[in-house]
Amino acid sequence: MKAGLFERLVGVVGSDHATMRAGDLANYQYDGSADRATPRAVVMPASTAEVAAVVRACVECDCPFVARGAGTGLSGGAVPEGGAVVISMARMCNILEIDPDNRLAVVEPGVVNAHITNAVKHLGLQFVPDPSSQAVCTIGGNIAENSGGLHCLAYGVTSHHVLGCEIVTPQGDIAWLGGKTADAPGYDLLGVFIGSEGTLGIATKVVVKLTPVRQATRTLLAVYDDLAAASLTVSEIVAAGIIPAALEMMDRLSVQAIEEFVHAGFPTDAAAVLIIEVEGLPESALEAAVAVRDLCARCGAREVREARDTAERERIWLGRKSAFGAMGRLSKSYYVADGVIPRTKLPEVLAAVERIGAEYDLRIANVFHAGDGNLHPLIAFDDRKEGDYDKTVAAAADILRHCVKAGGSISGEHGIGIEKRDCMTLQYGDADLRLMANLKAAFNPAALCNPAKIFPTKRTCGESGRLQAAVPQAADARLVSEPAF
Amino acid sequence: MPRGELRTLNLPIADELAGRSGIRPRVRPDECAKYAIADEVPKLVFSPRTASEAAKTISLLAHEGASIVIRGAGTKQSRPPAPVGVDAVLDTARCMGVMEYEPADLTVTVAAGTPLADLQAALRLRRQFLPVDPPFAAEATIGGLLSARSAGALRQHYGSPRDQVLGMRVCLSDGSVAFTGAKVVKSVAGYDIAKLFVGAYGTLGFIAEVTLKVAPLPAEQLTVLATIARVEDACACASSIASSALFPMATALLDAGSGSLVRTLVPSGAPAWMLAVRCGGSPAGVRAIADGVTRLFRTAGAQAIEMLDVDRHASAWSDIAELAGGSAHPSQRWLVCKIACLPTEVASICTAAGALPAAAHVVAHPTAGVVFVHIDARDEHPRRAALELERSCSGPHRTVEYLAAPLELCRELRQPLPSGAPLLLARRVKAALDPSGTFDPGRLAGGI
């Protein structure tokens, strides 16, 4: 690293907002994934101009950099591999404008997802994408990972709810992709920026769409003695022309973990539980609830109950949203996999997941967005047990192989980052990856902006290559050639 | 490759193409004349059946330095600027058919040349549809409507066509065939490059196949419409509906002239703005939505509130879509402009259109902030009217795009470049994906 970068960074953001103290840096080694790497420095710019100046300083010193929101990412997207400078968005957390007449808001990237809805609720509006981490995750991170959530079945993912972004390009220039209006002429650069995992630039302002809140919501809980019957129900509901706002599944192990943790009232002896939420005007929500009830019964549900009031509804959702945390009580560590399949393939792929668990002798809980076919197998393991983590990664890779074989994808909403980059070859061929690499080079020619993410290294999928903070293992050797400061 | 540089195409190339890709291109001028783009007759026309056939021909032509214009049904080829030279036309007509369709997955994979009407017919059998209602619905192909990002009023509830795209197989000028995206309803595995091809007008590569998200057809649909004297009131009413919990499928605003062209409607009273709201849902649900819309209409002082039953409703929306895109009028006569603005600015744009120094029609998607202005090109100063419109629409985030024009105007008009457009990034993207500049160079704003 060239001398003087840290001084330049301090010059941009002030000494209170830049650090290279080991104790501080340790807090930025990780996100929600298993990989770790120590940054060279952490800076907290307060404005677009400061972000641009920080990026230009990094570029001039040939130093990699990575933007960071709340650090809740699950694939290593914000892990500063190769000792990158972390650009934290924590101070850019203002809601700049709320325009209810045009049903949009302009926010800074560090704004917490749920804070947008909280700020517009009184206007009868909401920001729809609601990842499980919405109480802490930020909109900048949602854009990086094109986050989904519990309600994408009816409303789509982040890219459907963002009209425009001001970005700082990997060269340190400021540009608007999209804006406040629809259909900006020219290439849909916004469309490709969303979900690019922070490798094509840094969002510094975001124009989000706001959606009216529905009048009536009905939440049903369907209980099954048979996992396959629950899977069948999912396809049958959609085939019947009903698109619930949310359609979630939990298997026995996850229900048991949740019950022990938050007492949501789920029956612990069930093989599977579906949460089905329908909404609309009171008339249509009622009709849909009746139809769903009927379909569940016909597919073999043991019991279908409906939340009688808001408190009961919230208890059901609290249970669902606590699933990952609840797993922490069952096991020392757990690994969240994320794969997507066509929803009609649920029965066969869930059976395969069960077989994989048995084969590797690992406990796997399933709690997932069934309506989207987005699986989240939670694999329990003991990190202190020799080889347990490696076994877990290998099992997760086997699950992804099944997802791709079924016509699906290796990530529905958590992204590729570091964790799954070596699995990209399961889904994409050389020509596909070359196209992505060419696109990346158009935005990020020096490859300093969140380097080494998404693209495969020389490892194979399922081969454990966890980055340890003490010894950064960059895929790109150039990045580790320089010692930290 | 600079625009206007007519590259010579070595015609024996036809034999080589036939040998390599198995498809014989057409080179006879009388055959090629049918594929003329803005009166430019291509030297060669090829009609591949598959992505790999297309890729082989593309790679050979790119190697020869030829430019390629991709043509579906040809309904958007009168978009300015006119190409200055057309070496080869890739005709998508034989690249067609539904390739994969699983109704319970709500996904369908089709070849690019498939007519939208054919796809809708296949989906209707399973009570589903692709929720798009672009103009030229009878002829338009899937590849064409995506390339032109051609959206109708259904965008209010379902989003624009780009929001339905899940994955694509594309042919690039280096001869490669790449898949981008996925065939499932959500995927964050690598860059979502399919989005770039939507609205690229065929300048990045050839969309050979596309996987789309489809939707269930609402059990019932009906339309509520009314006339409102002042455009400001009509827009305020549209906004109150869009901000309510009613969630209609679509809203369209038509000036009196356009409204009178909707066939199934009986003109009533004095000329006024017409607001049409399309409702869909279960039998009880759709009635409740329509009642809610009617109440908001009354509050806005609407006159002649009418509910269209299912038959009149379908034909009315088909007319509205065609009127918006200009396909209801011959393009020899009309200059079709699309203005994107904030929903709250729609009324002032409509008023500005009415004050142009040429006769103009207006159709708008008020809740999306999109206004289509049709300027009569037989008037003395259509170009002056266009520039006047550009001037009156200039403002932050607003954009003006010319969708179609008579030939002479097509040669004169340039696509306005929105202020602050990320032109540098766009040029780099073009250079990265189509380094040989093969695909319709110079056809987009900024000479891309």
Side-chain angles (χ1 to χ4, degrees):
Chain A
M1 176 158 175
K2 284 190 187 158
L5 174 57
F6 188 67
E7 287 69 27
R8 283 191 62 178
L9 297 176
V10 169
V12 173
V13 298
S15 56
D16 287 351
H17 305 297
T19 179
M20 49 182 293
R21 275 196 302 271
D24 294 339
L25 299 185
N27 292 329
Y28 294 88
Q29 289 175 343
Y30 55 87
D31 61 3
S33 72
D35 294 292
R36 306 268 183 279
T38 309
R40 299 177 191 203
V42 177
V43 290
M44 296 191 182
S47 67
T48 304
E50 286 188 9
V51 174
V54 165
V55 167
R56 280 196 301 271
C58 289
V59 170
E60 279 161 30
C61 295
D62 200 24
C63 178
F65 54 91
V66 49
R68 180 185 175 92
T72 56
L74 290 163
S75 57
V79 172
E81 186 169 4
V85 167
V86 166
I87 304 175
S88 163
M89 293 294 148
R91 290 172 68 214
M92 293 179 69
C93 57
N94 298 301
I95 296 178
L96 301 174
E97 188 186 336
I98 293 170
D99 182 347
D101 292 336
N102 289 307
R103 294 170 295 281
L104 60 86
V106 185
V107 304
E108 289 186 322
V111 168
V112 169
N113 173 299
H115 292 182
I116 303 177
T117 291
N118 290 346
V120 298
K121 217 187 288 174
H122 67 284
L123 300 164
L125 296 168
Q126 60 178 325
F127 176 61
V128 170
D130 58 344
S132 294
S133 53
Q134 72 176 144
V136 279
C137 68
T138 61
I139 187 71
N142 294 169
I143 283 178
E145 304 300 335
N146 194 10
S147 301
L150 300 165
H151 290 89
C152 355
L153 177 54
Y155 293 94
V157 291
T158 299
S159 72
H160 300 122
H161 298 276
V162 173
L163 276 165
C165 279
E166 179 196 69
I167 68 162
V168 169
T169 70
Q171 279 89 45
D173 300 321
I174 299 167
W176 267 98
L177 313 181
K180 284 185 178 178
T181 57
D183 294 0
Y187 299 135
D188 184 3
L189 301 175
L190 176 69
V192 79
F193 182 82
I194 296 174
S196 63
E197 307 199 37
T199 64
L200 303 184
I202 300 173
T204 47
K205 283 192 188 78
V206 185
V207 185
V208 297
K209 285 188 206 172
L210 302 175
T211 305
V213 177
R214 297 275 189 170
Q215 223 170 55
T217 303
R218 288 173 174 266
T219 308
L220 291 92
L221 194 75
V223 182
Y224 293 83
D225 289 326
D226 174 26
L227 191 64
S231 303
L232 177 68
T233 308
V234 173
S235 293
E236 289 293 308
I237 289 174
V238 174
I242 300 166
I243 306 293
L247 179 39
E248 300 283 309
M249 197 193 292
M250 290 163 289
D251 69 359
R252 190 193 314 264
L253 190 53
S254 31
V255 164
Q256 286 171 351
I258 290 166
E259 271 311 297
E260 214 171 293
F261 188 37
V262 293
H263 314 294
F266 301 160
T268 50
D269 63 332
V273 166
L274 291 179
I275 302 174
I276 307 155
E277 188 159 277
V278 293
E279 52 178 26
L281 293 177
E283 297 86 343
S284 30
L286 176 63
E287 271 182 336
V290 169
V292 164
R293 212 176 241 286
D294 186 43
L295 280 164
C296 291
R298 266 195 281 153
C299 290
R302 176 177 95 193
E303 182 196 349
V304 185
R305 35 172 131 125
E306 187 178 333
R308 278 157 303 184
D309 50 32
T310 313
E312 200 173 335
R313 172 175 180 249
E314 279 171 0
R315 206 153 63 102
I316 291 176
W317 281 117
L318 175 70
R320 166 60 186 89
K321 289 182 185 176
S322 311
F324 289 13
M327 278 306 283
R329 290 168 62 93
L330 276 197
S331 140
K332 297 262 183 301
S333 306
Y334 66 93
Y335 180 102
V336 188
D338 170 37
V340 189
I341 53 169
R343 62 178 76 76
T344 49
K345 300 280 169 48
L346 275 174
E348 64 187 73
V349 176
L350 286 178
V353 171
E354 203 175 333
R355 276 199 311 275
I356 291 165
E359 200 180 303
Y360 284 91
D361 191 24
L362 289 165
R363 283 195 300 169
I364 305 181
N366 285 292
V367 44
F368 62 100
H369 313 307
D372 300 321
N374 189 180
L375 304 180
H376 286 321
L378 300 170
I379 310 176
F381 69 101
D382 184 348
D383 211 9
R384 289 169 307 186
K385 207 161 115 194
E386 176 78 25
D388 225 30
Y389 177 75
D390 296 351
K391 206 166 76 169
T392 300
V393 171
D398 278 357
I399 293 172
L400 294 184
R401 283 191 186 92
H402 276 278
C403 290
V404 173
K405 216 173 88 190
S409 171
I410 59 171
S411 175
E413 52 189 14
H414 297 172
I416 302 301
I418 295 171
E419 185 189 88
K420 281 198 278 200
R421 61 189 172 193
D422 294 314
C423 299
M424 283 288 275
T425 49
L426 293 182
Q427 193 171 340
Y428 297 109
D430 290 346
D432 312 338
L433 291 167
R434 202 162 58 235
L435 172 59
M436 288 184 206
N438 288 342
L439 189 273
K440 176 178 167 177
F443 277 81
N444 185 7
L448 293 172
C449 183
N450 207 8
K453 307 290 166 70
I454 302 176
F455 291 89
T457 67
K458 295 205 161 49
R459 289 200 188 85
T460 56
C461 178
E463 187 184 332
S464 165
R466 180 157 48 157
L467 298 182
Q468 306 289 340
V471 194
Q473 301 175 0
D476 182 349
R478 188 176 58 82
L479 296 175
V480 290
S481 58
E482 309 251 20
F485 291 98
Chain B
M1 193 67 64
R3 212 169 141 62
E5 188 180 312
L6 253 174
R7 282 152 290 186
T8 47
L9 200 58
N10 174 13
L11 285 184
I13 200 177
D15 292 330
E16 200 182 334
L17 284 176
R20 282 225 214 154
S21 71
I23 51 157
R24 178 160 287 281
R26 272 149 284 178
V27 291
R28 271 179 30 207
D30 59 321
E31 283 183 319
C32 291
K34 281 183 278 184
Y35 298 88
I37 313 276
D39 269 4
E40 289 275 354
V41 177
K43 301 193 191 73
L44 179 152
V45 176
F46 63 110
S47 310
R49 285 164 300 195
T50 62
S52 76
E53 275 184 8
K56 284 174 190 150
T57 309
I58 288 167
S59 128
L60 211 76
L61 288 169
H63 189 71
E64 294 289 318
S67 66
I68 302 174
V69 176
I70 301 162
R71 187 185 187 280
T75 57
K76 319 291 187 317
Q77 296 292 359
S78 57
R79 178 181 190 269
V84 177
V86 180
D87 293 335
V89 163
L90 189 171
D91 160 44
T92 69
R94 290 173 73 196
C95 203
M96 65 173 286
V98 173
M99 309 173 82
E100 290 169 41
Y101 175 36
E102 175 53 68
D105 289 331
L106 298 178
T107 57
V108 66
T109 300
V110 293
T114 310
L116 172 65
D118 289 10
L119 175 60
Q120 297 290 34
L123 298 173
R124 205 177 301 122
L125 295 175
R126 307 302 297 264
R127 301 201 51 76
Q128 295 185 339
F129 75 132
L130 181 67
V132 301
D133 56 343
F136 306 98
E139 310 117 279
T141 62
I142 295 297
L145 84 88
L146 291 177
S147 294
R149 195 174 43 185
S150 189
L154 280 177
R155 66 182 304 155
Q156 178 173 358
H157 185 62
Y158 295 95
S160 77
R162 66 89 103 153
D163 296 324
Q164 323 301 332
V165 173
L166 300 171
M168 261 182 201
R169 195 175 304 283
V170 295
C171 302
L172 302 170
S173 56
D174 66 359
S176 64
V177 179
F179 189 83
T180 164
K183 293 186 172 180
V184 282
V185 293
K186 67 206 256 218
S187 173
V188 194
Y191 302 130
D192 193 359
I193 295 176
K195 294 269 193 307
L196 280 179
F197 282 75
V198 179
Y201 282 94
T203 60
L204 294 176
F206 168 50
I207 304 170
E209 297 161 27
V210 57
T211 301
L212 299 155
K213 192 161 94 170
V214 300
L217 267 173
E220 269 185 38
Q221 294 187 44
L222 58 81
T223 289
V224 192
L225 56 86
T227 52
I228 297 180
R230 294 176 61 234
V231 69
E232 293 79 7
D233 297 337
C235 288
C237 180
S239 177
S240 68
I241 294 166
S243 296
S244 73
L246 295 169
F247 287 81
M249 297 166 78
T251 305
L253 173 72
L254 294 83
D255 67 2
S258 304
S260 70
L261 294 173
V262 179
R263 284 167 300 172
T264 45
L265 304 183
V266 187
S268 58
W273 291 85
M274 190 178 90
L275 196 58
V277 180
R278 180 172 184 173
C279 315
S282 61
V286 79
R287 191 56 62 177
I289 298 170
D291 289 346
V293 169
T294 306
R295 273 195 300 278
L296 290 170
F297 270 164
R298 289 218 180 87
T299 313
Q303 305 290 311
I305 302 172
E306 191 185 358
M307 256 188 224
L308 298 186
D309 58 29
V310 66
D311 295 331
R312 289 205 299 155
H313 148 98
S315 111
W317 282 101
S318 143
D319 284 359
I320 290 170
E322 303 302 334
L323 282 165
S327 49
H329 316 296
S331 66
Q332 293 81 357
R333 194 184 141 184
W334 297 92
L335 168 63
V336 184
C337 317
K338 172 182 170 184
I339 297 111
C341 59
L342 289 172
T344 46
E345 296 169 341
V346 168
S348 70
I349 302 281
C350 290
T351 306
L356 290 176
H361 277 308
V362 179
V363 178
H365 302 148
T367 57
V370 177
V371 183
F372 297 92
V373 178
H374 305 251
I375 298 173
D376 193 333
R378 292 173 314 178
D379 269 24
E380 226 173 307
H381 306 293
R383 187 150 186 266
R384 215 183 79 206
L387 294 178
E388 175 71 25
L389 186 67
E390 273 186 45
R391 199 191 51 75
S392 59
C393 293
S394 68
H397 296 285
R398 283 191 216 159
T399 58
V400 179
E401 191 181 348
Y402 298 118
L403 296 184
L407 196 53
E408 311 80 70
L409 262 182
C410 219
R411 294 205 174 104
E412 281 175 39
L413 279 176
R414 281 170 183 280
Q415 291 291 345
L417 196 60
S419 63
L423 207 55
L424 182 69
L425 280 174
R427 288 212 172 98
R428 288 219 211 104
V429 165
K430 167 75 175 174
L433 270 63
D434 179 24
S436 53
T438 299
F439 290 107
D440 211 353
R443 203 81 188 273
L444 289 186
I448 291 168

